Amino acid sequence: MIRPSQRRCVAASLVLWSGLVGAAAGVPPREYNLVLEAPITTWDEAVPLGNGLMGGLLWGEGSTLRLSLDRGDLWDERPAVEPLWWKSRTYARAAERIAAQDYATVNQWWDSPYNGVTPTKLPAGRLEVTLAPGQGVERFELDLAAAEGLARLANHQQVSVLFSAAAPVALVRIPGPAPAAVQLLPAGAKPREGTPDSNSLGAVSQLGYPPAEQGRLANAQWFVQEAAEQLRYCVCVDARHGDEETVLAIAITSTRDSQDPLGLARQRCADALARGYTAMRAAHGKWWETFWSQSSVSFPPAELPIARQYYLVRSFYGAASRRGAPPMPLQGVWTADDGGLPPWKGDYHNDLNTQMTYIAYQAAGHFDEGLAYLDYLWDRREVFTAFARDFYDAPGLACPGVMSLAGQPLGGWGQYSLSPTMSAWSAHLFYLHWRYTVDDTFLRTRAYPWCADVGRCMLSLLTTGTDGRLILPLSSSPEIFDNSPQAWLVPNSNYDLMCLKMLFLSLQEMAEACGKPEEAQAWAASAAQLGDYHTDANGVLLLDATAALTQSHRHLSNLIGLHPFNLINCERGPLDGQRIAASLAQWDQLGTSAWCGYSFSWMSCLQARVGNAEAALRNLDIFCRAFVLRNGFHANGDQTRSGYSNFTYRPFTLEGNFLAVQAVHEMLLQSWSPTPGAVDSEIVRIFPATPARWADVAFADLRTEGGHRVSARREQGVTTWLRIVAGRSGVIRIRNNFGGRPATWDRPDVGLQGDCYEVSLQQGESLTATLPSVQP
């Protein structure tokens, strides 16, 4: 029973909660905007903008504004070695050579395709604007609420840039007199000395392309680049000059849109200019208003760096991932504009990068943006089926560990680029999408079919060992021991074992939900036959049955069963508890000297998952302080040279950013099942790993497995209010982690079963609780 004084405290906390969460709901507050003082002299510190298909980076200095341009489907798919090389350099042949200790041959087979220039992502080019005399840029800003880039000028005016969410164009509004010059530059091009109207080939010179064909007519200018395999792409800019401003419209088209990409680009620019910046901005703003309305987090005021990083990176889902456009590869729609081709070919790395790039959209509620990747995988079923057949000699499907936009395997270190279990990890994203949306149509028509095909491929590769376990012919743990002979671990490595077990248990659950009990039993039996995980006598998770991790490493691959999988968790009993504690202690002992930026944000997620709130925040702090550039992009090395890592290099990739967003979600709300494979066994945990510094924090409409929307408020270190809106009809379980404080529910039928509150709700019904705050 709550005393009258406690009721007054509860009422006061509700007023405070309503004000703070109400302010946070919807668009991000202005103080979270990205603000960068001029000059910005390099592309990877620029203001990032995009609409899924097109991307732009706004930067510059003095009177020069630059807009680096990108389009997600510009790729050169020519193989570096013979076409379909994987048909002859197969998995079975490699297993034979490795058994004979002929490692050099396998490395040559599988590394050489990656050593060529192609396949590769292509940059689109650059727009350079010289402002009118007297105009100069003082600072840049990304208005997160409007997804609009701003260049603040010395005369208190501003240049505005948007990549329309409602049309395949970008627009630039420049106040005052017409710009002194507007120039389009082909990818990586710089004016040749003495010939300012002619451009060098820049990046595309490495690809053997002819010079871009350039043209002008009235206020429009363009270039058309002849690429490989009948691909041509066009970048066009047109201008409308008024008495008080100039508006530029930019379109990037290719032969994938039309056989006349120039005509289409000019038409798109003309249509945008006819509508005008204000009208285009209104439609654009409505899209972004809907995007931001999905969920929100209200951070403590002292956490401004983390809050800014969180909202900036959430905006990347809207800017760089849209259905109907390619999903985000390593650099999303922000391919390097440094005169060359992108690092690591700008490809799709499925040994961490793509899976972790798409790890945070579920809790945030950005499901359409996440479907960009799942649609992409679904649409390439035939490609992946052929790859499973031709490379693995297996039924079902498999996606390469490193691949091009078309799904072509690119090779590289074969232990990882051609590991079959990368497909099992990718399949996990289908499973999670179903769990968070409870979309049964998606389950039956997409998630279960795709994952089951992966399962069939994996089963065909597995054989029964002498101990009765299912084992693969080859095994590894990304990216342990690089591509040395030592990297071939004893099958199954813990990484492979965990990927396979999570896949089979997910399939068990999905089959049961689809009404296929016999298939569910078969998947469960396969999961059981994989056996237990490999540990030493102290419970430390090994790399395989005998090999221990003995040095610092960037990839937490042998811990994947803790996160993102929930195979080993803190609610399964003392054995799992011992394994978690011992394994994390070993990682602490080995140190972070060989970590990359994403290692810290992944470890933050993992520590939050196992309830170590302060360790989660410490790793997130280090990531945000040392491993992001000033525009928020994740740089793989320690940019502060503070000793967090021996890596101090600068290549930009996205996965570390999204892991940091997910780390926030893991600290605030978790919903995983302690018994994976069991249907509808998730448990909602509110503020399960919230650090002391976050004594006052709130969130609205974050999502859980089961499709529920959850909002909650924490004051002075305790939960004071929560609301759950049911995503589907059934029983909801809420962990009672409220420290013995009584919860007052707005429904009489909430019962306490063990350490969980349980209630049966119909889809759309809500449940609210208030709890007493800490007495002063």
Side-chain angles (χ1 to χ4, degrees):
M1 180 67 67
I2 299 180
R3 298 189 300 272
S5 61
Q6 291 176 314
R7 291 194 184 96
R8 288 193 294 272
C9 291
V10 169
S13 74
L14 278 174
V15 171
L16 178 61
W17 185 93
S18 179
L20 289 176
V21 172
V27 299
R30 190 171 187 83
E31 59 264 29
Y32 292 173
N33 285 355
L34 174 68
V35 179
L36 303 171
E37 296 299 318
I40 301 176
T41 59
T42 178
W43 68 275
D44 58 4
E45 293 184 357
V47 172
L49 300 161
N51 61 11
L53 181 61
M54 293 171 58
L57 294 164
L58 178 64
W59 53 299
E61 71 287 321
S63 62
T64 301
L65 287 178
R66 300 182 182 89
L67 191 61
S68 302
L69 299 170
D70 194 11
R71 176 171 156 140
D73 61 357
L74 295 183
W75 267 81
D76 187 327
E77 292 276 359
R78 291 175 296 173
V81 296
E82 70 269 17
L84 305 177
W85 55 265
W86 53 91
K87 285 190 172 185
S88 58
R89 308 176 185 189
T90 64
Y91 189 70
R93 289 189 66 201
E96 291 174 356
R97 300 318 312 151
I98 290 166
Q101 299 186 357
D102 183 7
Y103 305 108
T105 295
V106 176
N107 281 353
Q108 193 280 327
W109 282 353
W110 289 352
D111 283 5
S112 59
Y114 203 79
N115 293 335
V117 176
T118 60
T120 183
K121 175 75 180 67
L122 302 174
R126 184 195 300 172
L127 175 71
E128 289 197 355
V129 177
T130 304
L131 299 171
Q135 289 186 329
V137 62
E138 291 190 335
R139 80 176 176 276
F140 294 87
E141 185 172 348
L142 174 59
D143 184 338
L144 288 169
E148 191 172 30
L150 307 172
R152 308 284 187 182
L153 305 181
N155 59 5
H156 304 294
Q157 294 179 310
Q158 68 183 29
V159 176
S160 305
V161 184
L162 65 83
F163 279 65
S164 172
V169 292
L171 291 103
V172 181
R173 180 165 60 186
I174 305 169
V182 175
Q183 186 179 23
L184 278 178
L185 301 175
K190 294 181 180 178
R192 291 194 186 116
E193 186 176 353
T195 56
D197 294 329
S198 178
N199 294 311
S200 69
L201 292 175
V204 298
S205 64
Q206 300 176 57
L207 302 169
Y209 298 169
E213 299 174 5
Q214 301 184 58
R216 291 175 178 264
L217 183 63
N219 292 327
Q221 60 178 290
W222 59 82
F223 67 80
V224 178
Q225 179 67 62
E226 194 80 29
E229 298 177 324
Q230 288 77 54
L231 173 66
R232 285 182 297 126
Y233 59 93
C234 173
V235 181
C236 178
V237 60
D238 201 352
R240 175 163 292 185
H241 301 289
D243 294 337
E244 298 181 353
E245 67 179 23
T246 295
V247 177
L248 307 178
I250 306 147
I252 308 172
T253 57
S254 79
T255 44
R256 294 190 173 94
D257 305 312
S258 167
Q259 287 305 303
D260 180 16
L262 172 58
L264 180 61
R266 292 191 61 195
Q267 186 63 54
R268 286 179 175 175
C269 289
D271 289 346
L273 291 174
R275 291 192 62 192
Y277 192 94
T278 300
M280 294 288 288
R281 187 183 187 277
H284 171 81
K286 287 181 180 177
W287 189 95
W288 278 94
E289 184 179 355
T290 299
F291 174 87
W292 288 120
S293 70
Q294 298 307 311
S295 63
S296 61
V297 175
S298 179
F299 291 87
E303 298 300 329
L304 191 58
I306 290 175
R308 284 176 171 165
Q309 181 71 11
Y310 174 83
Y311 273 102
L312 172 69
V313 177
R314 269 191 55 181
S315 80
F316 292 173
Y317 277 129
S321 191
R322 303 279 183 88
R323 298 194 77 176
M328 290 179 280
L330 291 177
Q331 290 92 28
V333 289
W334 302 298
T335 300
D337 181 14
D338 58 1
L341 294 170
W344 300 296
K345 304 175 183 289
D347 61 27
Y348 292 92
H349 263 57
N350 296 319
D351 72 340
L352 177 145
N353 305 81
T354 52
Q355 293 95 335
M356 293 310 200
T357 293
Y358 284 95
I359 192 66
Y361 80 82
Q362 300 90 347
H366 297 313
F367 297 115
D368 278 352
E369 291 69 37
L371 279 169
Y373 185 53
L374 301 184
D375 288 347
Y376 165 83
L377 293 175
W378 177 261
D379 291 343
R380 282 153 183 77
R381 297 187 315 285
E382 292 184 5
V383 174
F384 299 150
T385 298
F387 178 64
R389 180 190 65 236
D390 296 338
F391 182 70
Y392 294 116
D393 190 25
L397 66 82
C399 55
V402 179
M403 64 189 184
S404 69
L405 176 66
Q408 175 185 178
L410 299 185
W413 292 349
Q415 293 90 336
Y416 327 113
S417 68
L418 294 165
S419 164
T421 54
M422 303 305 174
S423 302
W425 193 356
S426 293
H428 190 60
L429 291 173
F430 279 93
Y431 166 75
L432 286 179
H433 189 89
W434 165 62
R435 291 300 305 129
Y436 275 83
T437 63
V438 291
D439 182 341
D440 288 336
T441 300
F442 177 83
L443 167 66
R444 293 191 304 270
T445 63
R446 292 285 180 99
Y448 186 65
W450 204 91
C451 296
D453 274 349
V454 173
R456 281 188 277 275
C457 178
M458 300 302 105
L459 286 173
S460 74
L461 297 177
L462 291 164
T463 58
T464 304
T466 55
D467 60 356
R469 295 187 183 203
L470 294 175
I471 57 171
L472 292 165
L474 299 171
S475 198
S476 61
S477 191
E479 299 164 349
I480 303 294
F481 305 127
D482 299 340
N483 64 339
S484 68
Q486 193 179 3
W488 294 111
L489 300 175
V490 176
N492 292 321
S493 69
N494 261 334
Y495 167 81
D496 284 338
L497 173 57
M498 292 167 181
C499 285
L500 291 168
K501 183 160 288 195
M502 192 71 227
L503 171 67
F504 293 155
L505 290 173
S506 300
L507 283 165
Q508 174 193 348
E509 184 178 350
M510 288 189 282
E512 189 71 36
C514 286
K516 301 175 183 290
E518 293 182 359
E519 293 184 25
Q521 292 172 11
W523 294 121
S526 296
Q529 197 175 351
L530 289 166
D532 198 5
Y533 314 111
H534 307 299
T535 65
D536 68 11
N538 296 316
V540 174
L541 289 165
L542 302 172
L543 297 175
D544 61 22
T546 59
L549 183 68
T550 58
Q551 57 190 9
S552 178
H553 199 269
R554 61 190 173 274
H555 200 300
L556 282 58
S557 54
N558 72 320
L559 302 182
I560 196 171
L562 282 67
H563 183 278
F565 308 150
N566 44 304
L567 295 168
I568 301 171
N569 61 70
C570 51
E571 297 179 8
R572 287 177 64 95
L575 178 60
D576 275 19
Q578 179 189 11
R579 290 174 172 181
I580 291 168
S583 299
L584 291 179
Q586 183 205 37
W587 273 80
D588 282 344
Q589 181 183 16
L590 295 174
T592 65
S593 62
W595 286 25
C596 288
Y598 68 74
S599 312
F600 288 90
S601 49
W602 186 0
M603 183 59 80
S604 180
C605 290
L606 192 153
Q607 293 281 9
R609 178 66 65 90
V610 301
N612 296 336
E614 301 307 324
L617 182 59
R618 182 171 62 253
N619 281 279
L620 182 59
D621 272 338
I622 292 171
F623 174 81
C624 292
R625 183 167 61 249
F627 291 89
V628 296
L629 305 176
R630 66 175 179 143
N631 67 342
F633 280 169
H634 158 234
N636 280 254
D638 177 1
Q639 301 304 293
T640 65
R641 299 179 182 268
S642 300
Y644 295 120
S645 173
N646 291 340
F647 290 117
T648 58
Y649 63 164
R650 193 182 170 94
F652 143 60
T653 56
L654 284 169
E655 73 290 327
N657 288 126
F658 290 104
L659 278 163
V661 170
Q662 183 60 15
V664 171
H665 295 156
E666 295 279 357
M667 286 189 250
L668 299 177
L669 181 68
Q670 297 177 19
S671 58
W672 43 272
S673 166
T675 54
V679 175
D680 295 332
S681 56
E682 74 279 352
I683 296 172
V684 177
R685 305 164 185 84
I686 296 168
F687 300 121
T690 309
R693 249 170 51 192
W694 293 14
D696 298 281
V697 66
F699 61 86
D701 288 332
L702 290 180
R703 315 305 171 85
T704 71
E705 294 190 32
H708 313 309
R709 292 174 181 253
V710 181
S711 305
R713 172 72 190 161
R714 181 177 172 88
E715 295 177 271
Q716 300 180 62
V718 297
T719 304
T720 56
W721 184 93
L722 65 93
R723 180 183 64 222
I724 298 178
V725 179
R728 74 181 310 164
S729 300
V731 174
I732 295 177
R733 302 169 195 85
I734 304 166
R735 176 73 69 220
N736 180 15
N737 62 344
F738 305 132
R741 292 174 307 115
T744 301
W745 304 92
D746 66 346
R747 299 174 60 98
D749 51 344
V750 181
L752 189 59
Q753 303 293 327
D755 56 0
C756 286
Y757 288 104
E758 292 190 3
V759 64
S760 182
L761 296 180
Q762 296 298 305
Q763 181 180 2
E765 286 187 332
S766 67
L767 173 70
T768 301
T770 57
L771 296 97
S773 58
V774 175
Q775 295 298 308

